[in-house]
Each structure stands twice: as structure tokens, then as C-alpha cells.
Amino acid sequence: MSFEFSDNLRKMKSSEIRSLLKYVTMPGMISFGGGLPNPETFPSAELKEIMDDVIENYASQALQYGQTDGLQLLKNEIRKFLDRDENIKTDTDNIMVTTGSQQSLYALSKIFANPGDYVITEAPTYVGMISSLNANLVNSVSVKMDSNGMIIEELEKQLEYLKSIGKKPKFIYTIPTFQNPAGYTMTLDRRKQLLEIAYENNIPVIEDNPYGDLRYSGTKIPTLKSLDDHDIVTYLGTFSKVMSPGLRTGYTVSQPEVLSRYNILKQALDLASDSLSQYIAYEYLNRGIIYKQIPKTIELYKKKRDIMLESLDEHVKDAVWSKPDGGMFLWLKLNHNIDTSKMLERALKNKVAYITGSAFYQNNPEINTMRLNFTYSSDSDIVEGVRRLAKTIEEEVKN
Amino acid sequence: MSFEFSDNLRKMKSSEIRSLLKYVTMPGMISFGGGLPNPETFPSAELKEIMDDVIENYASQALQYGQTDGLQLLKNEIRKFLDRDENIKTDTDNIMVTTGSQQSLYALSKIFANPGDYVITEAPTYVGMISSLNANLVNSVSVKMDSNGMIIEELEKQLEYLKSIGKKPKFIYTIPTFQNPAGYTMTLDRRKQLLEIAYENNIPVIEDNPYGDLRYSGTKIPTLKSLDDHDIVTYLGTFSKVMSPGLRTGYTVSQPEVLSRYNILKQALDLASDSLSQYIAYEYLNRGIIYKQIPKTIELYKKKRDIMLESLDEHVKDAVWSKPDGGMFLWLKLNHNIDTSKMLERALKNKVAYITGSAFYQNNPEINTMRLNFTYSSDSDIVEGVRRLAKTIEEEVKN
């Protein structure tokens, strides 16, 4: 039988990143494409111990359906973690446990915006936000960044533009710290300016902070949420980068009136998040293992970042790139107007993979850009991969 | 700050069932309300062993992001399980691992139907399907059942009705075996007739089969999927009732052209399902533990069903109820036109809880109905709870 399908998915296409996952496993391929944490950072031994104890002590709850808003024990640990780690003062009523942060990107897009509405993102922005907007038929205008994050004048310009077409943005989405894909971090001044603009125009802000704990240089900058005295910021956190992404456990901090809507929607999306993973995350926080794990992860990733930056300096001509103080990615821009999607075939032939920059724009991509991940590959593969990338660029420029 | 929200959730309200979950834990309350498997059926010891081995052998994959369509190892075990258990012959390309079956109800509603479109369900139907339809602004017409499942003449009548208003249903949703909430099972004859109608009109069929393995009496009836020689049925399975609902691991069998759309949508919904839970499910199938666990679960639940049926016979007047051959629920209908939502207050005062029947209709509820779960409570609580329910009905009839 051949079916008729709805029009709901008309703006969606398969993420190039997800599709590229398969190259990661091809023999000889060095992939800077994925967004994968390094398995060396997974606290396997500690998690094994935790799992044993969870089954010993909580089997009948950890294997049962949970509450839609999440495990109360875990929410309380998240509250304490946010206070200690990010100076975010909140209450468990303002916390929702989510099936990864991805679920929140989808849900918040649907809760705040009707089909055809507009939101504001950074340019480039996280590909998972783009797919969530597309799935909900929501449009975006995007704000240019420099190495200090979102350019506030550009934000004002986009707000003016939306006003001129009679639209008010339904929210501003930002990854202010170690942005994915660009690696930039928004300065404190700009954070304050962004909040002022949000307050003046009553525009909700979604702060996505998956990488905040992974700082390798420079000084910590307060999260938007910790600066927010008008309760306008919805904050997204995840354990994907500081415990394990396989456990699909994230959290969202927001007003109860946002979370009550999210709760109703989540009942339709998946009823509740995985109980076992929530109990594991609870013990991971409760036992303080997260505080031992983060420095280890930083040590590993800092070295890899440094190796990639040094290798780029040494080998790559005809391009500029960001110098991230943390996170997992850097952003490379070719000096020539070369389309990195077209160059990808040559790169794969040279056994190196990246994500073409155009994946990170809902519209108007900068085609001569790419995202490079520096956390997954071995140290020696980073050196060799950058060499292959340099060769690929050189060959492409010549042609 | 006070926000404007979208209109997308305008048809949604919090599920009474999810809200009732809190009564389960109130001291002295006997709840027939939840849809919870009995924790005695959770194979804790076996799962503990499996978890240890998973971390030992697959830590770097089980803690990592997985493929959106699911773990290939697990998909292959599901394929074998479906062949052995349900005589469903399929291929891993036709299988998608999902975050519980709930995710598929949401995703399929969105993939097949535009806002304002119509689908066909049973009356009453699963509350998670209603919330998925509401979340996608999809309408339904519903087909009456008797103890032999969907009444085919009623289905034809509804198709005629839709034709008369210029609509074609986007799918037919059915739980043919041990239906939730009614406990009815569709006969083989009706299954064949349903498929014929679907073929003639080219209407996709969604067969939801969470309870098929839990048969306590009568003879197994083939699934629609195993009877389907035109590839029109999308089949939903779950490990919630035969392993653990806390692991949120389900699966969907369908055509690749359906699954490719689902894959794209799932990237926006949650990227991928929990990897650890998928590895656990894989080993649970691979080691054949599921085949030992199902008979144990049947033994426990059969007894509880029998106790509830006997208690109802003994104590409850002024009502009729279904006699399910399996599953977790039975459906009770009062002889008087009493609104069970209004009666609930009295029931809770008498320390017994149920779900009012109206929760299981998108529109036109039969208000004098309720769903009773017989799998969660202890044997003695079932007896006592039914006594309290009988008392509640008696008091209500008098007033």
C-alpha cells in the first residue's frame, strides 16, 4: 500500500549530522563531524556501582512509570547543583526532567509559537533547534555573532525588521556559552543588554547551556538565568556532556505556567522520561560524582582543543576559525567562497569528515563554513585529521 | 513576566490518569485508577545481572548517543521475537525503536494527519491516543464495540458519515487484543473484515498491542499485522508490560516510507531513545528471559483478574462489566445514568479510586462508565477495593 502523508513535515529534512554518524565507524575515517562526547569521559565504574545500588534499593520505582514532570529526588539534586554550579536559585516546582534537552527544544517551540510565527536564534545555531522549529512550522530570523557572541545591534535590527512586517518574536533562543556550532561565548555586558531588550519587549528567552561546565580557559561568566530578575529566562541543562548522553536525561527550569503546559504536552510525547536513568542521575549527583567527573573531562578536552588549535595553525591556510574557551566545537570559515557541502566529497575521499556550516542555518547559510568537533577523536587522529582537512582545502582552492 | 502562549495546546488537558497517580500513594487508598504493571513482575535480579554485563561489555556504546532508528542489535532481537511470538515476519528495516509506544502515537498522528483531519478510533479508546490527537489538533470519530471488539457495521457507518462530510480518515487506530480501557478482544472474523475495509479504502491501520502477551483465558487470536498481506498495518509493541515500563522502550513496525518520516521527526523529538535501556532490552530478549518472565506475569495477573471478577459478582449491583481474557483492565458501566466523574469524590472519600470513563473519549463520552485496573493492587486490596466501590455505587444510587 502507498499512503498519503500530512504536510506537517514539509520543512523537515534528515539532519546531515545524524546521517554522518555512520561515517564515524567507517574504517580509516577521521570524523570531526559528530557531536559525540568522548567515551573516555563516561564514568562507567561509578555508574555500574550506582546501577547495582539503584536496583538494590529502588527497583520497584526505578523500573516503574514515573511522574511526567520527573523524579522528585532528582529534581531536588538538580536544584542544589544549579545553585552550587551556576548560582541559579530555583525551586523544584520550577524544574522539569526531560528526555534530553532536545525534547525541550521541540516542546518549547510548540508551546510558544504557532505555525508561521517567528522566533530569534543565533546565526549559526544548534541544528536540533532548527529541526524543532521546522517540525512545528515555525520561522526564525537569526542574529549574527562575533567572538563575543550575539551582536546586540544585530538583534535590535532583527527586532526592527520583525516589527516592520508586523511580527513579534515568540522567543529568543541562545546558547551563550561555548556556542554550538560556533564555539563563541557571549560577554557579560552583552548578556545584560540581551536581558534588558527581552524585558522591554516581553520576549521569553531560552538559554541552552549544555557545555557550561566544560571551560578550558578564561573566566566563568554568569548564566542568563542567574542574572534574570524578571523570570523571563527558560534554562535548559543536560547530563549528556557531564555524565552520559545515552541516558537521555535533561532538565528545564522555567515558570510554573510554562511547565504546566509542558507537562500536558509531555504526556502526549512520551508520558514520562526513563525512570532508571533518572535514578542513576539522582545518585550521580547525590554522591557528588559529577564534581569529580567534570575536572577529568575538562582535562581531557582541554588537551584536545589545544591540539586541534595548534594543528590548524600549523597546517590550514586560507581559513579562519574560532578559539573556543570551552565546549566541544569550533567554527571554521574558508577565505574563498567555497561551498563546504560540495567540498565534503573530497574530504570523505581524503578520509576526514566535518559538518557543513549550512546545516546550522534555517535560511541564508554561509556556505563556506564548517563545524569541527575536537572532543571525540584521539589526540593523534586530531593531528592527522587536520592535516587531511588542510590538504582537502588546498586541493579545493586549486580547482 | 507573563507570557503569551501558542494555540497549539488548546485542545489539551491534563490526563486524569496522570493526575490520579498521586492518589495511589495516599495512605489507605486503594486505587484501580493507574495503568501500572505490578512491580512484582519486574525481573529485578535478572536486570541487575544484565546491567552489570552491559556496562562490562558495551559501556562506551550503552552510554553514548545511539542511532535515531534504534540499536541494530535490539531491532534484530525484536524481529525474532515478533516472528516467534506473534507470527509477524518482518525485517529490521521495518522496525524503529521508540521512547515507549506513546512516542509513536504522537508521531504517527503528526505524520499521517494535518490539523483538522479525521481519524477513526474505538469508543472508548486509549487516553494516550486522545492526548496525541489533541496535541496535533486532529479529530476523531469513534466506533462502538461489543465484547467481540469493534462492531464492523458501526465502522462502515462512520466511514459513510465521514464521506458525507467530505472527509477521508487518515488512519484507523485499534487495540484489538485486551483493549485499553474496555478489556474486549476483536474476533478473528472482525479482524479480517477490518483489514478488507482498510484495503478497499486505502486507510492505514495502526494496531497497538501492548497487552497481547498477557492472555489468561481463551485462545490466541492472530494480530492484524500477521494477517496483513498488503502492508497496510503499522504495529506498535512495547516492553512496558513484559519487562519494565520505567525503561521507556517500545517499537514500531511499519513500511520504510513511514519510518523514514518518523526518523526525521524523532530527531526533533528526542534525537534517539535511551541507549542503556535499549542494551538492557537487547540482552533481555537475547538471553530469553522474556520467555520466562511472561508466564510468571500471566500467573500473577490471572489470579488478580479472577479475584476482581469474583468480587464484582459478589458485591456490585446496578452495573455490568467486561470479562477480559487478558490485559490489565476491565470496563464497568452503571445501570443508572450516573456520572462517574461526579461519583469520584464519594469514591475517594471511601478510599477507592478509578478512572472515569469520559477520559477515554475524545468526544461524546458515556458518562456512566469507568475503567478498573486489576494488576497493581494486592489480592486482598482488590477484594476490599471492590467492596468500597460497591458501597460507593450503592450510596450514589440512593442519592
Side-chain angles (χ1 to χ4, degrees):
Chain A
M1 282 285 173
S2 185
F3 297 136
E4 282 169 45
F5 295 100
S6 74
D7 307 321
N8 293 319
L9 273 56
R10 66 181 179 271
K11 288 184 80 168
M12 301 196 76
K13 52 185 173 47
S14 187
S15 151
E16 186 181 348
I17 296 179
R18 296 260 100 197
S19 317
L20 262 178
L21 264 183
K22 60 175 177 252
Y23 291 113
V24 178
T25 55
M26 271 177 62
M29 180 67 67
I30 296 174
S31 175
F32 300 140
L36 302 182
N38 197 301
E40 281 181 49
T41 67
F42 300 157
S44 312
E46 290 86 349
L47 291 182
K48 187 176 169 185
E49 205 180 303
I50 286 176
M51 283 177 212
D52 281 350
D53 294 348
V54 164
I55 291 292
E56 205 70 58
N57 302 320
Y58 311 107
S60 59
Q61 299 101 300
L63 299 174
Q64 186 61 281
Y65 287 112
Q67 295 277 135
T68 302
D69 59 340
L71 178 67
Q72 186 63 26
L73 287 170
L74 173 58
K75 293 209 289 182
N76 194 42
E77 287 300 324
I78 291 169
R79 182 188 63 73
K80 290 191 277 183
F81 175 72
L82 285 171
D83 188 4
R84 172 172 166 174
D85 204 53
E86 297 291 359
N87 195 31
I88 293 172
K89 315 286 180 197
T90 189
D91 189 86
T92 54
D93 289 346
N94 295 66
I95 298 172
M96 173 115 168
V97 180
T98 65
T99 307
S101 277
Q102 183 63 45
Q103 184 169 57
S104 293
L105 300 182
Y106 182 87
L108 294 169
S109 298
K110 188 168 172 102
I111 289 168
F112 281 115
N114 284 315
D117 278 347
Y118 280 81
V119 303
I120 291 178
T121 70
E122 288 151 341
T125 190
Y126 175 50
V127 68
M129 187 42 143
I130 295 172
S131 63
S132 296
L133 295 175
N134 286 340
N136 287 296
L137 301 172
V138 174
N139 305 311
S140 64
V141 296
S142 53
V143 177
K144 281 189 192 139
M145 289 182 289
D146 58 25
S147 58
N148 292 321
M150 218 186 247
I151 300 169
I152 299 299
E153 295 69 33
E154 291 288 330
L155 171 60
E156 286 168 333
K157 210 185 281 176
Q158 293 302 334
L159 284 173
E160 277 306 312
Y161 164 71
L162 286 177
K163 210 175 200 175
S164 78
I165 61 166
K167 297 282 182 186
K168 189 188 157 184
K170 297 301 176 173
F171 58 75
I172 299 169
Y173 172 71
T174 175
I175 309 160
T177 308
F178 319 136
Q179 205 249 12
N180 179 0
Y184 300 141
T185 294
M186 200 187 293
T187 57
L188 180 59
D189 258 12
R190 288 197 184 170
R191 289 177 193 227
K192 290 179 179 167
Q193 287 174 280
L194 171 62
L195 285 177
E196 280 310 315
I197 290 172
Y199 296 153
E200 270 166 39
N201 297 278
N202 193 26
I203 306 169
V205 174
I206 299 176
E207 177 179 34
D208 194 0
N209 191 27
Y211 315 108
D213 285 310
L214 304 177
R215 177 175 282 281
Y216 320 130
S217 51
T219 321
K220 195 171 175 91
I221 300 176
T223 56
L224 289 165
K225 185 72 186 166
S226 69
L227 298 168
D228 172 24
D229 49 21
H230 286 58
D231 212 6
I232 207 165
V233 175
T234 295
Y235 179 90
L236 312 188
T238 174
F239 298 113
S240 289
K241 280 79 193 180
V242 290
M243 180 176 77
S244 147
L247 301 185
R248 311 301 305 118
T249 304
Y251 50 92
T252 288
V253 185
S254 192
Q255 296 183 10
E257 64 166 347
V258 174
L259 296 189
S260 67
R261 284 167 173 83
Y262 193 164
N263 191 307
I264 290 175
L265 179 57
K266 187 167 163 65
Q267 291 174 26
L269 291 174
D270 65 3
L271 283 181
S273 294
D274 196 286
S275 300
L276 178 65
S277 292
Q278 289 187 71
Y279 271 92
I280 294 171
Y282 158 62
E283 285 291 356
Y284 186 71
L285 290 168
N286 181 38
R287 297 175 186 197
I289 299 171
I290 192 169
Y291 299 108
K292 293 174 197 148
Q293 202 58 30
I294 290 172
K296 287 190 214 166
T297 304
I298 287 175
E299 195 189 339
L300 184 78
Y301 288 176
K302 179 184 191 307
K303 190 175 168 208
K304 290 184 183 295
R305 178 203 61 170
D306 292 344
I307 292 172
M308 184 169 274
L309 286 174
E310 283 158 23
S311 301
L312 286 166
D313 271 337
E314 191 172 342
H315 299 293
V316 174
K317 293 179 197 80
D318 288 322
V320 291
W321 51 87
S322 57
K323 277 96 186 161
D325 280 322
M328 297 171 52
F329 306 107
L330 63 78
W331 187 245
L332 185 144
K333 188 172 175 175
L334 301 173
N335 293 338
H336 299 270
N337 197 28
I338 286 170
D339 185 342
T340 54
S341 324
K342 289 186 183 142
M343 191 175 79
L344 188 60
E345 199 186 326
R346 187 188 302 274
L348 294 175
K349 226 171 58 190
N350 287 334
K351 301 257 177 206
V352 64
Y354 55 80
I355 307 288
T356 59
S358 54
F360 304 95
Y361 298 83
Q362 197 189 30
N363 27 50
N364 308 323
E366 290 201 68
I367 59 164
N368 57 337
T369 57
M370 66 177 71
R371 187 190 76 175
L372 300 177
N373 167 275
F374 55 77
T375 61
Y376 187 77
S377 302
S378 71
D379 297 357
S380 58
D381 272 3
I382 294 176
V383 176
E384 175 58 24
V386 169
R387 236 185 243 130
R388 292 178 190 175
L389 183 66
K391 180 174 168 247
T392 304
I393 294 171
E394 217 167 294
E395 288 173 3
E396 194 78 7
V397 169
K398 271 192 202 141
N399 272 269
Chain B
M1 283 284 174
S2 184
F3 298 136
E4 282 168 47
F5 294 100
S6 75
D7 306 321
N8 293 318
L9 272 56
R10 65 180 179 269
K11 289 185 80 169
M12 302 197 77
K13 52 185 173 48
S14 186
S15 152
E16 188 182 349
I17 296 179
R18 296 259 101 199
S19 318
L20 263 179
L21 264 183
K22 60 175 175 253
Y23 292 113
V24 177
T25 55
M26 270 176 63
M29 181 66 66
I30 296 174
S31 176
F32 300 139
L36 302 182
N38 197 300
E40 281 181 49
T41 67
F42 300 157
S44 312
E46 292 85 349
L47 291 182
K48 186 176 172 188
E49 205 180 305
I50 286 176
M51 283 178 212
D52 281 350
D53 293 349
V54 163
I55 291 291
E56 205 69 59
N57 301 321
Y58 311 107
S60 59
Q61 299 101 299
L63 299 174
Q64 188 60 282
Y65 287 112
Q67 295 278 132
T68 302
D69 59 339
L71 178 67
Q72 187 64 25
L73 286 169
L74 174 57
K75 293 209 289 184
N76 194 43
E77 288 300 324
I78 291 169
R79 182 188 63 72
K80 289 191 276 182
F81 175 72
L82 286 171
D83 188 3
R84 172 172 166 174
D85 203 53
E86 297 290 0
N87 195 31
I88 293 171
K89 315 284 182 198
T90 190
D91 190 85
T92 53
D93 289 345
N94 295 66
I95 297 172
M96 174 115 169
V97 181
T98 65
T99 307
S101 276
Q102 183 62 45
Q103 184 169 58
S104 292
L105 300 181
Y106 182 87
L108 294 168
S109 298
K110 187 169 172 102
I111 289 167
F112 281 114
N114 285 315
D117 278 348
Y118 281 81
V119 303
I120 290 177
T121 70
E122 289 151 340
T125 190
Y126 174 50
V127 67
M129 187 43 143
I130 295 173
S131 63
S132 297
L133 294 175
N134 286 340
N136 287 296
L137 301 172
V138 175
N139 305 312
S140 63
V141 296
S142 52
V143 178
K144 280 188 192 139
M145 289 182 289
D146 58 24
S147 59
N148 291 322
M150 218 186 248
I151 301 169
I152 300 299
E153 294 71 33
E154 292 287 330
L155 171 61
E156 285 168 333
K157 210 184 284 177
Q158 293 302 333
L159 284 172
E160 278 307 310
Y161 163 72
L162 286 177
K163 211 175 198 172
S164 77
I165 61 166
K167 297 282 182 185
K168 190 189 156 181
K170 296 302 176 173
F171 58 74
I172 298 169
Y173 172 72
T174 175
I175 309 159
T177 308
F178 320 135
Q179 205 249 11
N180 179 0
Y184 300 142
T185 295
M186 201 187 293
T187 57
L188 180 59
D189 258 13
R190 288 197 183 170
R191 289 177 193 227
K192 289 178 179 168
Q193 287 173 280
L194 171 61
L195 285 176
E196 281 311 315
I197 289 172
Y199 296 153
E200 271 166 39
N201 298 276
N202 193 27
I203 306 170
V205 174
I206 299 175
E207 176 179 33
D208 194 359
N209 191 27
Y211 316 108
D213 285 310
L214 304 178
R215 178 177 281 280
Y216 320 129
S217 52
T219 322
K220 195 171 173 91
I221 300 175
T223 56
L224 290 164
K225 185 72 186 167
S226 69
L227 298 168
D228 172 26
D229 50 19
H230 286 58
D231 212 5
I232 207 166
V233 176
T234 294
Y235 179 90
L236 312 188
T238 174
F239 298 112
S240 289
K241 280 80 194 179
V242 291
M243 181 175 74
S244 147
L247 301 185
R248 311 300 305 120
T249 305
Y251 49 92
T252 288
V253 185
S254 193
Q255 297 183 10
E257 63 167 348
V258 174
L259 296 189
S260 66
R261 284 168 175 82
Y262 194 165
N263 190 307
I264 289 175
L265 178 58
K266 188 168 162 64
Q267 292 173 28
L269 290 175
D270 65 4
L271 282 180
S273 294
D274 195 286
S275 299
L276 177 65
S277 292
Q278 289 187 71
Y279 270 93
I280 293 171
Y282 157 63
E283 285 292 356
Y284 186 71
L285 290 168
N286 180 39
R287 298 176 184 194
I289 299 170
I290 191 168
Y291 299 108
K292 293 172 197 150
Q293 201 58 31
I294 290 171
K296 286 189 214 167
T297 304
I298 287 175
E299 195 189 339
L300 183 78
Y301 287 176
K302 180 185 190 307
K303 190 173 167 209
K304 290 183 184 295
R305 179 204 60 171
D306 292 343
I307 292 172
M308 185 170 273
L309 286 174
E310 285 158 23
S311 302
L312 286 167
D313 271 337
E314 191 171 342
H315 299 293
V316 173
K317 294 178 196 78
D318 287 322
V320 291
W321 51 88
S322 57
K323 277 97 186 160
D325 279 324
M328 297 171 51
F329 306 107
L330 62 79
W331 186 243
L332 186 143
K333 188 173 173 175
L334 301 174
N335 293 340
H336 299 271
N337 198 28
I338 288 170
D339 185 342
T340 55
S341 323
K342 289 185 184 142
M343 192 175 77
L344 189 59
E345 199 185 327
R346 189 188 300 274
L348 294 175
K349 225 171 60 192
N350 287 333
K351 300 256 179 208
V352 64
Y354 56 81
I355 307 288
T356 59
S358 54
F360 303 95
Y361 299 84
Q362 197 189 29
N363 27 51
N364 309 322
E366 289 202 69
I367 57 163
N368 57 338
T369 56
M370 68 177 71
R371 187 190 78 175
L372 300 177
N373 167 275
F374 56 79
T375 60
Y376 187 77
S377 302
S378 71
D379 296 356
S380 57
D381 273 3
I382 294 176
V383 177
E384 176 57 25
V386 170
R387 237 185 245 130
R388 293 178 190 175
L389 183 66
K391 180 174 169 243
T392 304
I393 295 171
E394 219 166 294
E395 289 172 2
E396 195 78 7
V397 169
K398 273 193 204 140
N399 273 270

